[in-house]
Amino acid sequence: MLQKFTRFYLLVLLLIIQPFTAKVCAQENVVLNGTIRDKQTGESLFRAVVRVAELPSIGILSNEYGFYAISVPKGSYTLKVTQLGYENFTQKINLDTSKLLNIQLEVIAVLTEVVVESGRKNDNLIKPQMGTETLNMNAISKVPVLFGEKDILKTLQLLPGVKSAGEGNSGFYVRGGGADQNLILLDEAPVYNASHLLGFFSTFNSDAIKDATLIKGNGPAQYGGRLSSVLDVRMKEGNNQAYTVNGGLGLISSRVSVEGPIQKDKSSFIISGRRTYADLFLKAAEDFKDNVLYFYDLNMKANYKINSKHKIFISGYFGKDELGLGETFGIDWGNKTATIRWNRIISNRLFLNTSLIYSDYNYNVKLKNKETNFNINSNIKDLNLKQDYTFYASPKNTLRFGFNSILHTITPSTFTGTVNNSTKKVGRSGLENAIYISNAYKATDKLSLDYGLRISAYSLMGGDAYNIYENGLVRSTIQLDKSSVGKTYVNPEPRITSNYRISDQASIKAGYARNVQHLHLLSNATASSPSDQWIGNSYNIKPEIADQFSVGYVQQMSQDNFELSTELYYKFLQNQLDFKDGAEINTLSDVESALLFGIGRAYGMELLLKKKEGIFTGWISYTLSKTERKIEGINQNNWYNAKQDRTHDVSLVGVYTLNTKWSISGVFVYNTGDAVTYPTGKYAFQGNTLYQYASRNSNRMPANHRLDLSVTYEKKRKKRIQESWNFSLYNVYGKQNAFRITFQDDPDDASRTQIIQTSLFRWVPSITYQFKF
Amino acid sequence: MLRRFNIFFIFSVCFVSCDKEINLSLDKNTSMLVIEANITDQPGPYFVKVTRSVAVTDKNVFPGVTNATITISDNLGKRDTLIHTIDGVYQTNKLRGAPGITYYLEVQVDGKKITAESTMPQKVALDSLRINGFEINGVERYNIIPGYTDPIQLGNSYRFIQKINDTLDQTFHVFNDNLNNGKVNQRPLRIGTDQLEIKLKDTISVEMQCVTRDTYLYYYTLNQQSSAGPGGGTTPSNPPSNIQGGALGVFSAHTKQVKIVRVN
């Protein structure tokens, strides 16, 4: 299988590359290449725009590792490099032969703007990418968040098309997809549970993060494996010029990170750690002294430049959560990831990155009484090999191609202890392979295209028995031996995005993408829980497929200071999963017997108005959307609203810089309540009042809205020490937003039913101290 | 357990969570028939209760249906027509329930026909009630472990009704042998609310029922829906039931044993 795949892949590659190479050679072009970095820290810069003043139709972007290459006819040129937040770089250069030029950009001394997007000011006009937002950590540091813990996932939720999984929650839904349909990558390693403490914190320690890019369903061909979005989070490389220590003290957690050169200009490292200490307060209180409640995480990264052509990066993440009640109850879960990357500049136009990635997620539940004890344990492990080539084929074409092979080993919930599992479950493995090629093509001055094809395949690997079900009953069983390979699902995933500039100020965009997902999250609770299980494709579970069509319009206003962008999307989903009522997902010997399958659709409009520069910056985002599912066996097989279907979603974010010391920021959000099922009636049964239900999710939680404010004070820099204080107030006007609604007999008058709304987080003040030296 | 923990977590971290009563406009109710029908291995009479559901905003007064014609028959050819007593409660005359026999319920009311079928499982002996003590935050707490040995054959389901000093524990306790098949039970009856707890000197009575898979599923689903918030609570719906023809409730043929224990 793999062999066939490789052969096919090479063939496609040859066919696509050949015309470019032939054409380029004939023109006697020369190549200028190198890397683009931050002068102070040595961090590589992604998506810096490289242009040649004399050839206005040429413009390319640096890749993830800061590599760029541009080919032009022999001659003298003026090279221009721009990146938002950095001084423009201009240099005259005489290109009679191919040259290497490493470029260092300087941070603009007084950074007045707080921006959402890195890149050139009017990038959005020329890039064909759609539904893409890059968050830069500096940019989000002033946006108020719950508990004052700046958090990339919570800030993302303020963008159009992205919805929060609940108040204060770091989980998110993109364009109607489920929480498991987001591919969350930390230095290319998939993170299976991106939250701490039941979702109130994300696993990303903002001190260790360089930036994060969210792509809403129109991911370039190098990404794949999830339907809704890609969130590509990249860790800092570590300052290769000087040692710095960063830290923060907050009410809930504290963090510290150290970075610096191993060898100046050649290699650097960063280590960053974070821990919460709510449990320390609990210990002090007699009533809660047995309660355990904390998380910690650790990020590490180092890089080494072997020579001008080879560079190696090693990065790792380790995080763990512990919740417990003395000896009697405990639950812990955690992610581990490790990535080794090898950057290789093969020629002045061809760049290769090879990654070997390991990722591990597991959870444990422990219940213990005097006589009984038992554990539930589940685990998912990935071993991942990736090769990604960037080929600056010609001034108009940049090719990306490569492959990705992941071996998934999934151990479903297993019970041990005095309560034994009667039917032992073994781990299943699946091999996920993908090859891809894409081309960023600047067709004319006005039209640019990014098109590509990804072919993904998922093979069931031997070592377990697979049951085939018909109406919940086993029809047949396929026993796969250890060495054998079962069914292989192969899916082509074509993708295209295009951008047409209608004027200097405006452009229109259109795109289509198919995404395929081979791993599925099984959760029968209405909210996410660490004990949700992942499961791979099987004979019953087919790959989930999403087709997304989108069109967009971008308009720059008043000297590019304002940008209005809007996108419309329609998404159709196939092979969606849900459960039968009463499914016991943790104890069933084969959870597949309780699964139901169906389709989904999501459509909507997203509007984003940004003010990008000046003493006042910020954005307004608005999403109007609809998300539905139709699952065989649920809601009489009729369409119903997905839980995360919220019709209106509005966010306002503003940062006002008073002077070099003080700045004020605010966030206002409003959204329609979640789709839920309220009872339509009640009845008495066995001494209880039970409720009668009609159609699923046809009701609404009350609408949510809230205002958060924060003030940041930056102390004047003393020698090398930089300090700042952040004071914030979450939910300024104390709106009691509904977290949960319960129907119950009134304890004071058992003859009536009362409807109780539980709210969290009224007026949560927080204070954070940050330092850097 | 997890649910209770979550609630604890939310309260401890969020200094200011609060509950308040609200009004919601709910969808209009279509009143449905509710059937609560049991037959056991103990001497009769057995009862079938037929009521109607009411709107959520109405008083908790559930009208009994008094004009139903109800029969229970079995796979041995016996047939019993039930007699209405009071407020929609009907009782059998001569039927005697026994394990292994399949019972058929038929309810006719206002031209509507509702049927259900249930086969009484074999009895598994309730040997003892064991008191299980544990400590949380310095407070000694108790729960009850019903002692029984699950048969080797897979597919046994149980329901327990617990009373603490005559107060009914409203948790639906249902077990099956997906776990621990063929072994001595170790699982305690965990009370699903903080309002009720077992203290020293309490008298606990536990009724053990060996129930069908349908009955188990009915109560298990109700249990799953009762918890809400992070980590718990599925989207609610009317639980799957063995009643055909458009009515709520369940028809359960089960064995019945009761034991009493005092916490010392």
Side-chain angles (χ1 to χ4, degrees):
Chain A
M1 188 63 216
L2 199 59
Q3 252 184 357
K4 245 202 280 182
F5 230 69
T6 324
R7 224 177 296 154
F8 172 75
Y9 164 60
L10 287 174
L11 190 72
V12 172
L13 203 65
L14 276 173
L15 283 173
I16 297 186
I17 295 178
Q18 223 194 347
F20 297 120
T21 41
K23 201 169 131 203
V24 167
C25 294
Q27 280 183 347
E28 253 203 290
N29 277 358
V30 290
V31 180
L32 179 71
N33 77 327
T35 52
I36 304 172
R37 296 185 172 276
D38 178 303
K39 194 172 181 183
Q40 274 85 33
T41 65
E43 294 276 343
S44 58
L45 298 176
F46 179 30
R47 290 209 177 121
V49 181
V50 182
R51 300 171 156 271
V52 177
E54 291 76 7
L55 302 167
S57 69
I58 292 178
I60 59 103
L61 304 173
S62 61
N63 76 1
E64 289 89 332
Y65 301 93
F67 181 78
Y68 77 96
I70 192 160
S71 55
V72 286
K74 283 180 182 175
S76 280
Y77 297 105
T78 315
L79 187 72
K80 284 191 167 172
V81 180
T82 50
Q83 172 86 328
L84 197 66
Y86 289 87
E87 301 282 2
N88 289 346
F89 174 92
T90 311
Q91 186 174 328
K92 291 238 180 260
I93 191 160
N94 191 12
L95 288 176
D96 44 6
T97 59
S98 292
K99 272 187 183 157
L100 175 78
L101 178 68
N102 291 327
I103 297 167
Q104 293 185 319
L105 299 185
E106 274 200 80
V107 176
I108 295 172
V110 186
L111 184 66
T112 48
E113 70 265 51
V114 175
V115 282
V116 244
E117 205 176 341
S118 61
R120 228 171 68 112
K121 253 199 319 192
N122 56 358
D123 258 0
N124 215 350
L125 281 181
I126 42 175
K127 287 181 191 162
Q129 279 91 1
M130 296 190 71
T132 304
E133 294 289 345
T134 298
L135 284 179
N136 172 299
M137 290 317 292
N138 288 330
I140 71 161
S141 63
K142 286 176 180 166
V143 177
V145 285
L146 185 61
F147 305 130
E149 182 82 14
K150 68 176 164 179
D151 195 316
I152 204 143
L153 296 186
K154 288 184 196 164
T155 308
L156 274 177
Q157 296 167 2
L158 301 169
L159 294 169
V162 186
K163 293 177 193 243
S164 139
E167 191 180 5
N169 204 299
S170 61
F172 62 100
Y173 304 113
V174 176
R175 290 185 172 174
D180 66 319
Q181 294 176 347
N182 302 313
L183 178 65
I184 301 177
L185 299 172
L186 179 63
D187 270 358
E188 295 181 45
V191 176
Y192 283 95
N193 183 345
S195 67
H196 284 304
L197 291 186
L198 308 169
F200 292 112
F201 297 90
S202 85
T203 51
F204 302 115
N205 175 352
S206 52
D207 279 355
I209 303 302
K210 183 155 131 185
D211 58 28
T213 305
L214 178 77
I215 309 166
K216 297 180 282 192
N218 283 102
Q222 70 259 33
Y223 296 111
R226 298 289 187 279
L227 298 189
S228 289
S229 77
V230 179
L231 177 64
D232 191 353
V233 180
R234 291 200 318 271
M235 277 165 61
K236 281 183 188 163
E237 289 162 20
N239 192 323
N240 69 11
Q241 302 295 312
Y243 285 94
T244 55
V245 179
N246 258 300
L249 297 172
L251 288 179
I252 296 285
S253 74
S254 282
R255 56 203 142 78
V256 67
S257 64
V258 181
E259 57 184 305
I262 300 172
Q263 279 176 295
K264 205 175 168 189
D265 289 328
K266 270 194 141 178
S267 57
S268 62
F269 73 95
I270 176 168
I271 298 178
S272 186
R274 177 170 66 149
R275 192 196 191 280
T276 58
Y277 35 69
D279 54 321
L280 302 180
F281 298 123
L282 292 176
K283 284 238 170 7
E286 187 59 25
D287 285 356
F288 292 118
K289 71 177 169 59
D290 289 345
N291 293 316
V292 182
L293 170 85
Y294 68 89
F295 74 79
Y296 61 86
D297 47 29
L298 194 63
N299 291 73
M300 289 156 292
K301 188 164 175 175
N303 68 77
Y304 182 75
K305 191 174 171 184
I306 300 168
N307 57 37
S308 63
K309 294 209 152 71
H310 298 271
K311 190 166 183 176
I312 286 178
F313 297 80
I314 298 176
S315 53
Y317 168 83
F318 182 78
K320 197 164 185 184
D321 275 66
E322 296 252 15
L323 305 181
L325 213 50
E327 287 284 286
T328 53
F329 172 71
I331 170 164
D332 66 80
W333 71 95
N335 290 289
K336 287 190 258 292
T337 73
T339 312
I340 300 173
R341 284 187 283 194
W342 171 29
N343 281 184
R344 188 176 160 209
I345 298 170
I346 297 173
S347 80
N348 56 14
R349 289 188 292 142
L350 185 60
F351 177 94
L352 165 65
N353 176 55
T354 308
S355 307
L356 185 63
I357 304 154
Y358 171 79
S359 165
D360 180 327
Y361 171 68
N362 78 75
Y363 84 84
N364 269 301
V365 178
K366 169 186 91 179
L367 275 170
K368 198 174 164 212
N369 288 332
K370 269 184 188 143
E371 298 181 40
T372 64
N373 70 75
F374 80 92
N375 288 294
I376 313 173
N377 184 291
S378 167
N379 179 286
I380 175 162
K381 274 195 187 102
D382 278 6
L383 198 59
N384 188 338
L385 177 69
K386 232 165 137 174
Q387 276 209 320
D388 176 48
Y389 294 83
T390 311
F391 181 52
Y392 289 90
S394 76
K396 285 177 184 290
N397 293 282
T398 305
L399 283 169
R400 287 292 285 255
F401 51 90
F403 74 88
N404 185 6
S405 285
I406 312 175
L407 180 66
H408 302 284
T409 309
I410 303 168
T411 314
S413 293
T414 314
F415 283 74
T416 49
T418 52
V419 178
N420 287 314
N421 194 353
S422 44
T423 41
K424 201 174 176 303
K425 290 182 207 174
V426 280
R428 275 185 184 174
S429 3
L431 184 65
E432 187 175 345
N433 284 301
I435 51 168
Y436 61 87
I437 181 158
S438 68
N439 184 21
Y441 176 47
K442 206 161 184 300
T444 69
D445 266 7
K446 289 190 167 142
L447 178 68
S448 49
L449 295 166
D450 201 327
Y451 54 90
L453 176 68
R454 181 183 179 90
I455 297 170
S456 69
Y458 188 92
S459 309
L460 312 183
M461 305 302 280
D464 196 11
Y466 288 82
N467 292 326
I468 297 174
Y469 291 92
E470 215 167 74
N471 302 321
L473 300 169
V474 180
R475 199 187 66 202
S476 61
T477 300
I478 295 172
Q479 178 69 48
L480 287 183
D481 296 333
K482 261 239 137 43
S483 54
S484 64
V485 178
K487 189 169 173 64
T488 296
Y489 291 96
V490 182
N491 290 81
E493 304 174 37
R495 322 239 173 117
I496 181 165
T497 51
S498 59
N499 179 58
Y500 185 77
R501 254 186 113 144
I502 40 182
S503 75
D504 279 356
Q505 299 285 306
S507 69
I508 47 173
K509 300 184 177 203
Y512 161 75
R514 168 169 279 204
N515 281 285
V516 176
Q517 178 161 345
H518 302 284
L519 292 186
H520 323 275
L521 187 68
L522 302 181
S523 163
N524 67 351
T526 47
S528 80
S529 149
S531 59
D532 294 345
Q533 291 184 50
W534 287 91
I535 192 168
N537 291 339
S538 71
Y539 289 93
N540 306 297
I541 306 170
K542 299 186 171 56
E544 294 176 58
I545 298 172
D547 290 292
Q548 178 177 283
F549 300 87
S550 49
V551 289
Y553 176 77
V554 183
Q555 170 83 52
Q556 306 282 340
M557 287 170 288
S558 61
Q559 288 150 356
D560 299 350
N561 206 345
F562 285 91
E563 181 182 290
L564 174 72
S565 54
T566 171
E567 278 190 26
L568 300 173
Y569 67 90
Y570 179 87
K571 193 153 82 172
F572 181 72
L573 306 161
Q574 298 174 55
N575 303 329
Q576 299 298 291
L577 301 183
D578 209 326
F579 285 99
K580 286 178 187 163
D581 287 327
E584 298 166 82
I585 63 167
N586 281 315
T587 62
L588 274 175
S589 63
D590 186 0
V591 75
E592 288 188 44
S593 64
L595 293 180
L596 299 171
F597 303 94
I599 53 175
R601 64 187 176 199
Y603 44 93
M605 179 189 71
E606 298 166 358
L607 276 174
L608 180 63
L609 176 66
K610 280 194 250 186
K611 178 162 188 304
K612 297 192 282 190
E613 282 186 344
I615 53 167
F616 181 80
T617 56
W619 71 89
I620 301 173
S621 91
Y622 170 68
T623 311
L624 174 70
S625 63
K626 184 85 197 154
T627 302
E628 293 166 298
R629 298 284 184 274
K630 186 172 182 265
I631 307 266
E632 206 66 35
I634 295 180
N635 201 37
Q636 278 102 46
N637 305 339
N638 293 316
W639 285 101
Y640 63 90
N641 296 328
K643 174 181 114 77
Q644 68 270 26
D645 175 55
R646 292 176 203 149
T647 314
H648 304 284
D649 207 324
V650 181
S651 310
L652 265 84
V653 179
V655 178
Y656 185 70
T657 311
L658 288 166
N659 50 42
T660 51
K661 284 181 184 163
W662 292 93
S663 58
I664 301 174
S665 62
V667 168
F668 172 78
V669 292
Y670 171 90
N671 61 264
T672 310
D674 278 0
V676 289
T677 313
Y678 289 142
T680 59
K682 60 183 173 184
Y683 55 100
F685 195 83
Q686 304 258 315
N688 283 267
T689 306
L690 300 184
Y691 298 95
Q692 177 191 335
Y693 298 94
S695 51
R696 178 181 280 228
N697 290 354
S698 65
N699 305 106
R700 291 276 161 198
M701 294 282 274
N704 286 316
H705 55 89
R706 187 189 82 226
L707 174 72
D708 310 330
L709 288 177
S710 89
V711 175
T712 307
Y713 171 70
E714 276 170 84
K715 238 177 139 176
K716 209 173 167 191
R717 202 181 178 129
K718 270 189 213 148
K719 288 179 195 160
R720 289 193 56 202
I721 305 173
Q722 222 177 316
E723 291 171 286
S724 71
W725 293 87
N726 179 282
F727 309 89
S728 67
L729 181 60
Y730 182 89
N731 202 357
V732 172
Y733 54 84
K735 168 80 166 75
Q736 297 183 29
N737 286 314
F739 167 72
R740 178 171 64 209
I741 287 180
T742 323
F743 290 75
Q744 61 183 46
D745 287 349
D746 186 342
D748 301 324
D749 173 9
S751 73
R752 66 180 282 269
T753 299
Q754 61 174 189
I755 306 172
I756 297 292
Q757 171 188 300
T758 306
S759 331
L760 308 175
F761 311 126
R762 267 184 102 180
W763 302 298
V764 185
S766 58
I767 175 166
T768 311
Y769 166 73
Q770 304 234 81
F771 62 88
K772 185 180 179 179
F773 57 83
Chain B
M1 198 68 182
L2 184 59
R3 177 182 146 235
R4 283 171 77 177
F5 189 82
N6 285 336
I7 291 165
F8 143 75
F9 168 77
I10 287 153
F11 280 87
S12 61
V13 169
C14 321
F15 339 102
V16 275
S17 100
C18 61
D19 283 357
K20 68 169 181 185
E21 189 171 346
I22 56 166
N23 282 315
L24 288 172
S25 72
L26 300 172
D27 297 346
K28 202 171 167 287
N29 181 48
T30 32
S31 184
M32 277 179 88
L33 284 173
V34 182
I35 313 268
E36 185 179 330
N38 294 297
I39 184 161
T40 72
D41 62 341
Q42 301 299 306
Y46 312 113
F47 298 95
V48 174
K49 192 172 171 186
V50 185
T51 53
R52 284 189 182 277
S53 66
V54 300
V56 177
T57 46
D58 289 351
K59 288 265 174 212
N60 283 351
V61 177
F62 306 99
V65 175
T66 54
N67 62 338
T69 310
I70 303 179
T71 58
I72 297 179
S73 51
D74 65 19
N75 58 349
L76 303 173
K78 283 188 198 138
R79 185 181 178 86
D80 199 342
T81 302
L82 283 75
I83 303 161
H84 182 247
T85 57
I86 189 168
D87 277 350
V89 178
Y90 298 76
Q91 73 174 47
T92 54
N93 300 303
K94 53 189 179 190
L95 208 68
R96 172 70 209 252
I101 296 179
T102 303
Y103 296 92
Y104 307 96
L105 171 76
E106 194 181 304
V107 178
Q108 302 233 28
V109 58
D110 301 336
K112 196 170 179 179
K113 188 169 144 188
I114 286 147
T115 58
E117 165 184 339
S118 187
T119 303
M120 191 182 298
Q122 294 300 325
K123 178 185 260 174
V124 175
L126 174 63
D127 305 321
S128 63
L129 296 180
R130 282 186 296 147
I131 296 153
N132 179 43
F134 55 100
E135 196 180 293
I136 297 174
N137 290 322
V139 182
E140 185 77 9
R141 287 157 202 262
Y142 306 93
N143 53 29
I144 304 293
I145 301 175
Y148 64 90
T149 306
D150 181 74
I152 288 295
Q153 203 185 12
L154 193 67
N156 295 284
S157 305
Y158 310 93
R159 176 170 179 231
F160 299 91
I161 300 170
Q162 179 170 253
K163 280 182 189 156
I164 300 161
N165 303 328
D166 294 327
T167 306
L168 178 70
D169 167 12
Q170 296 197 319
T171 317
F172 297 116
H173 298 285
V174 281
F175 292 3
N176 68 9
D177 58 2
N178 273 1
L179 294 175
N180 225 25
N181 181 41
K183 301 222 164 85
V184 174
N185 178 54
Q186 307 271 8
R187 243 175 101 177
L189 303 173
R190 291 199 175 86
I191 303 169
T193 163
D194 296 323
Q195 316 299 321
L196 190 69
E197 49 180 24
I198 299 176
K199 294 185 285 292
L200 266 179
K201 305 222 162 65
D202 282 351
T203 302
I204 320 294
S205 107
V206 173
E207 174 182 330
M208 171 170 166
Q209 301 177 348
C210 296
V211 297
T212 63
R213 172 87 203 137
D214 288 339
T215 305
Y216 173 87
L217 188 62
Y218 182 83
Y219 288 105
Y220 183 84
T221 310
L222 286 175
N223 250 344
Q224 270 194 321
Q225 296 175 358
S226 66
S227 51
T234 53
T235 303
S237 60
N238 298 326
S241 147
N242 58 354
I243 291 183
Q244 306 290 314
L248 300 164
V250 72
F251 172 42
S252 173
H254 56 255
T255 65
K256 177 176 165 180
Q257 301 160 78
V258 180
K259 272 201 180 337
I260 292 170
V261 71
R262 199 174 129 93
V263 183
N264 283 315

